[in-house]
Amino acid sequence: MSRIFFDAASHTLLLTTPATSYALRIDAEGAPRHLHWGAPLTVEQATALPTYDGLTSSFASTSGEEINVEGGPRFGVPSLLVRYANGARGVEWHYEGHEITDGSELHIHLRDQHYPLGCTLHYAVHDDSDIIERSLTVRHLGTADEDGPIEMLRCDAAVWSIPSRSGTRMTHTVGQWTGETQLRRTEAPYAETTFTSRRGVSGHFGNPWLMVDAGDATETHGDVWSTVLAWSGSWRITAHRDHTGGPFTVAGGGGHDGISRRIQPGESHRTPVFAGQFSQGGFGAASRGWHAYIANHVLPHPDEPRPVIYNSWEATGWHVTPHGQRALADRAADLGVELFVVDDGWFGQRTNDRAGLGDWHPNPEHFPDGLGPLVDLVRRLGMGFGLWVEPEMTNPDSDLYRRHPDWVLHMPHRRRTELRHQLVLNFAREDVTEWAYKWLDRLVAQHTIDYLKWDMNRAFTEAGWPGHPDGERLWTDHTRGVYAVIDRLRHAHPGLRIEGCAGGGGRADLGMLARTDQTWISDNTDAVDRITIQHGYSQIYPARTMSAWVTDSPNPHTGRTTPLPYRFHIAMTGALGIGGDLSHWSQPELDEARELVALYKSIRPVVQFGRQYRLEDAVQYMADDRLVVIAWGHDRDLPLNGLSLDDVYVDELTGAEHHAANLLTRGLPLHLGGGDRPSAVVRLTKQ
Ligand code: GLA
């Protein structure tokens, strides 16, 4: 069944998803103009829609185009900004035609009327999702003898147009190290608002997505337009609320202000995907739409249960010895842990954060016989084996840096700013990615490593590539280099699973999720702080990708004391792991932890694969006939969500019966127990 329709008389194109429609028109001048993004329309209805008049009769700043360029009376955010070799700028479109492939992809081909610039707008829709994927290809159509390069000053993947309404709000996240994905919801100013990362990674400080509503959406009701960028490097999303009646626009793509990239004759550049979803049913429904899309169209192995992990970082820091790791592995296995991950500190001279990055061989003093004996022991204990790596980095105090000081991002006559005593290797260089691939391939092959935690702990500074004629392309090509190494590694080792990490959640995005299995979303493991961080992460990303560890109390970061079941329950809302120093846990604590791990395994299919509903101080998951509620706070009746009125549920523990109608209105009676920070897991099954 085709989901894309073309009305030749009016040059109108209609894209349909299961519950939404998207319409655009090629105007008489050849420019792709926006018509509609919202509730379903027929072709006839879409054809009857007028274009926004920003380009003609009014002085609106946002003109309602599918991709904004410079030229003519356009004064909104230029999402494609180019300079030709003779210094001229701007684009005057010529429409060359379009293709619809498999009824689900649309490619609109445009070129400039004079200059050798070609451009294709890509759209893709799916049968099982309301998410529309958009991206752009820019081509230099000239010849080497006649034409110089075209400089791209900005090249967004797409512009989304949203009907302007009074009270328009924006929802996004802000954050920092140990405090990622803090949700913010504010009325949009009548202005341009830019959300961006200039750090070379998508960053802790804002996650590359934006939701827009008319000021009336709640968790359960209302129209929400959400946009998410699938990119792990620097990025920019500019929202523009126009006070003269133009649509609310959201332009987004890779790169940040002030950085350009040249395309040479014959060369092309494809942007990452900037995906969008219109949904009715509030922010909760918007999130579930993204969760399902990520499971069905982004993750490499969506259906595989994420293992219960033990990670040694908080227990041993950089003091990684076979003896210490063995002691932890023994106890982890006894608790029911399925995968044991040795974090930072196992390699080179890495006994603190000043040395060793780049020297990826086991520390010769601590592991004179290599990693083999430890890997064997972990396997004998019935667990998989994982290792921490940070391939994009080097310490100046490393053999690698002494051999290749030119491999790092740097600029002539500029200092090499160290952050965490480390420098960034230029993954835009093929010799660097080849080196990285080779040692990673060797390491994984030698011990059939099951899992890598791929970390990236610092932002770019002095991001130069001396000697390269277009060095600024490293802002894009570094990220592409990282993607290429991971993709090649996964291809060569199909059993390998990867956790994405960047000093916690500094690179949690769809670009990484397309090639990793889960994300370390924050170095803050304090269960109370985690609730907020996890809430922000869950706006877009599904629970199965959210690594969450139970660590020690008092928490090493915050000093806060919390009970063991509470720490477990909060971590059980994602992919459970343990990161505490088990060698100091008492026998009663270990016994309780063993039971809690078993409890998690019993709810894992519902948490990891179910539909997620965020409730007040609780999260509800539903899969098939099973329903799980993880709640904290105080005893109360907790109204649930998403149930069919006539169903009846039975509490798996107590046998109590609950009518769905009552669970939806009065609520689930919660008995969390007493003490400090009470919490509970309730398991219900449909009768
Ligand atoms: C980063 C990660 C941590 C840990 C350390 C090791 O901060 O986010 O989980 O791996 O690096 O140095």
Side-chain angles (χ1 to χ4, degrees):
M1 181 191 99
S2 184
R3 297 206 153 271
I4 304 178
F5 307 93
F6 179 57
D7 175 64
S10 64
H11 273 84
T12 301
L13 283 148
L14 178 71
L15 293 88
T16 58
T17 71
T20 75
S21 282
Y22 188 97
L24 63 117
R25 178 173 304 144
I26 309 298
D27 74 9
E29 308 228 307
R33 308 276 294 272
H34 182 73
L35 295 174
H36 171 80
W37 182 25
L41 292 183
T42 63
V43 177
E44 198 185 354
Q45 290 160 346
T47 304
L49 276 172
T51 53
Y52 288 93
D53 60 3
L55 274 183
T56 46
S57 61
S58 86
F59 294 98
S61 295
T62 60
S63 49
E65 288 180 277
E66 290 294 292
I67 196 83
N68 293 342
V69 292
E70 213 184 358
R74 293 178 172 95
F75 303 105
V77 183
S79 46
L80 176 62
L81 199 56
V82 293
R83 186 189 286 130
Y84 306 102
N86 67 357
R89 302 169 60 122
V91 179
E92 293 181 3
W93 287 127
H94 170 74
Y95 165 67
E96 298 219 295
H98 70 263
E99 291 150 56
I100 297 170
T101 45
D102 301 331
S104 63
E105 282 184 25
L106 168 66
H107 311 276
I108 301 174
H109 303 295
L110 307 165
R111 60 168 299 159
D112 185 79
Q113 297 205 8
H114 173 81
Y115 289 98
L117 176 78
C119 185
T120 302
L121 276 58
H122 307 279
Y123 300 77
V125 288
H126 301 281
D127 288 339
D128 61 356
S129 169
D130 290 318
I131 276 116
I132 301 175
E133 294 161 339
R134 294 182 57 191
S135 61
L136 191 77
T137 301
V138 175
R139 286 187 197 81
H140 193 315
L141 305 173
T143 57
D145 326 334
E146 288 175 20
D147 303 287
I150 299 175
E151 195 171 1
M152 299 189 298
L153 304 166
R154 177 166 180 158
C155 184
D156 288 335
V159 182
W160 294 96
S161 293
I162 297 162
S164 66
R165 303 260 166 83
S166 60
T168 299
R169 279 189 308 192
M170 301 186 294
T171 301
H172 62 107
T173 61
V174 296
Q176 59 183 331
W177 177 68
T178 69
E180 295 84 341
T181 49
Q182 309 288 309
L183 200 64
R184 292 286 182 274
R185 187 162 290 149
T186 48
E187 181 163 349
Y190 284 97
E192 293 173 21
T193 308
T194 295
F195 304 86
T196 190
S197 162
R198 300 188 179 88
R199 295 167 194 264
V201 282
S202 48
H204 296 85
F205 302 85
N207 204 271
W209 59 262
L210 184 71
M211 293 193 196
V212 178
D213 77 294
D216 55 359
T218 64
E219 186 65 18
T220 50
H221 293 94
D223 294 352
V224 177
W225 289 263
S226 43
T227 60
V228 182
L229 182 69
W231 183 239
S232 313
S234 282
W235 58 274
R236 175 179 41 202
I237 295 176
T238 307
H240 191 164
R241 186 175 186 190
D242 179 27
H243 63 284
T244 60
F248 186 97
T249 59
V250 180
H256 61 262
D257 286 355
I259 296 300
S260 71
R261 182 191 177 103
R262 282 185 219 136
I263 43 171
Q264 302 292 339
E267 206 186 346
S268 65
H269 170 76
R270 175 107 186 223
T271 69
V273 165
F274 189 31
Q277 173 189 223
F278 168 73
S279 52
Q280 297 177 302
F283 296 105
S287 298
R288 284 187 292 283
W290 288 105
H291 297 170
Y293 163 75
I294 291 168
N296 296 333
H297 300 285
V298 178
L299 290 173
H301 296 284
D303 302 331
E304 232 175 60
R306 273 47 179 170
V308 177
I309 286 174
Y310 179 81
N311 180 296
S312 66
W313 172 241
E314 287 197 14
T316 60
W318 284 285
H319 191 61
V320 175
T321 62
H323 177 73
Q325 297 295 311
R326 270 181 205 155
L328 292 168
D330 275 336
R331 289 199 155 187
D334 180 54
L335 298 185
V337 165
E338 295 156 324
L339 181 86
F340 185 84
V341 183
V342 178
D343 208 279
D344 196 354
W346 60 269
F347 54 91
Q349 294 305 314
R350 187 75 170 166
T351 50
N352 54 49
D353 64 359
R354 294 180 167 268
L357 286 171
D359 301 340
W360 296 103
H361 49 81
N363 177 294
E365 274 157 55
H366 293 155
F367 294 95
D369 304 321
L371 291 173
L374 178 61
V375 179
D376 290 346
L377 173 102
V378 166
R379 291 251 159 75
R380 275 203 305 279
L381 289 168
M383 298 183 289
F385 183 82
L387 268 186
W388 179 93
V389 292
E390 194 178 7
E392 298 151 78
M393 295 294 156
T394 187
N395 290 111
D397 184 3
S398 68
D399 294 339
L400 179 78
Y401 187 74
R402 284 183 280 272
R403 263 200 323 273
H404 296 289
D406 55 323
W407 275 12
V408 297
L409 304 182
H410 68 286
M411 285 185 186
H413 312 298
R414 291 286 157 231
R415 67 175 68 94
R416 298 183 180 196
T417 301
E418 291 175 26
L419 298 172
R420 214 193 193 206
H421 312 289
Q422 61 197 57
L423 297 166
V424 183
L425 291 169
N426 182 354
F427 262 50
R429 289 175 62 133
E430 265 175 39
D431 49 358
V432 174
T433 49
E434 197 54 33
W435 161 84
Y437 175 74
K438 283 209 174 109
W439 72 255
L440 281 159
D441 175 54
R442 214 178 307 121
L443 180 71
V444 173
Q446 192 183 358
H447 303 292
T448 334
I449 283 174
D450 300 291
Y451 191 88
L452 289 176
K453 177 176 167 191
W454 182 301
D455 206 344
M456 197 294 187
N457 270 299
R458 61 153 288 179
F460 293 8
T461 58
E462 298 88 32
W465 186 352
H468 193 287
D470 185 26
E472 286 182 7
R473 65 171 50 207
L474 74 84
W475 287 95
T476 314
D477 290 357
H478 177 98
T479 303
R480 287 181 172 168
V482 172
Y483 289 170
V485 172
I486 298 180
D487 291 347
R488 197 171 156 199
L489 200 60
R490 290 195 80 123
H491 185 74
H493 304 278
L496 177 69
R497 299 293 173 262
I498 301 179
E499 177 175 37
C501 173
R507 196 161 58 183
D509 53 64
L510 292 191
M512 285 303 281
L513 280 183
R515 44 190 53 80
T516 55
D517 302 282
Q518 51 197 88
T519 310
W520 180 235
I521 67 161
S522 183
D523 279 348
N524 187 340
T525 57
D526 178 307
V528 176
D529 289 353
R530 273 262 164 177
I531 291 173
T532 318
I533 297 168
Q534 295 180 172
H535 179 76
Y537 183 81
S538 80
Q539 300 297 313
I540 303 296
Y541 309 108
R544 75 192 80 179
T545 67
M546 186 177 84
S547 304
W549 308 339
V550 176
T551 57
D552 295 338
S553 178
N555 183 273
H557 288 290
T558 63
R560 187 184 275 126
T561 304
T562 48
L564 191 70
Y566 179 83
R567 276 176 273 149
F568 263 95
H569 293 157
I570 301 303
M572 283 187 200
T573 60
L576 177 73
I578 298 176
D581 187 354
L582 295 180
S583 54
H584 288 114
W585 287 21
S586 68
Q587 196 55 48
E589 280 177 319
L590 292 168
D591 292 342
E592 195 172 14
R594 194 179 309 108
E595 278 172 27
L596 287 159
V597 170
L599 170 65
Y600 178 71
K601 288 180 182 169
S602 81
I603 62 170
R604 171 162 55 185
V606 191
V607 170
Q608 293 194 4
F609 306 129
R611 293 186 305 287
Q612 182 178 340
Y613 297 83
R614 291 181 295 256
L615 310 176
E616 193 138 349
D617 288 344
V619 192
Q620 172 194 331
Y621 304 84
M622 293 210 298
D624 303 322
D625 286 350
R626 297 186 64 197
L627 190 158
V628 168
V629 174
I630 301 178
W632 54 94
H634 54 91
D635 286 356
R636 63 199 187 272
D637 291 335
L638 175 73
L640 303 188
N641 215 319
L643 313 185
S644 304
L645 272 181
D646 295 333
D647 288 338
V648 176
Y649 283 86
V650 178
D651 188 312
E652 287 177 26
L653 192 66
T654 65
E657 277 191 10
H658 300 284
H659 288 270
N662 295 340
L663 292 172
L664 287 166
T665 48
R666 169 89 166 262
L668 173 72
L670 284 180
H671 307 292
L672 303 183
D676 183 31
R677 304 211 180 266
S679 59
V681 173
V682 182
R683 290 171 288 174
L684 306 178
T685 308
K686 198 172 5 174
Q687 249 185 355

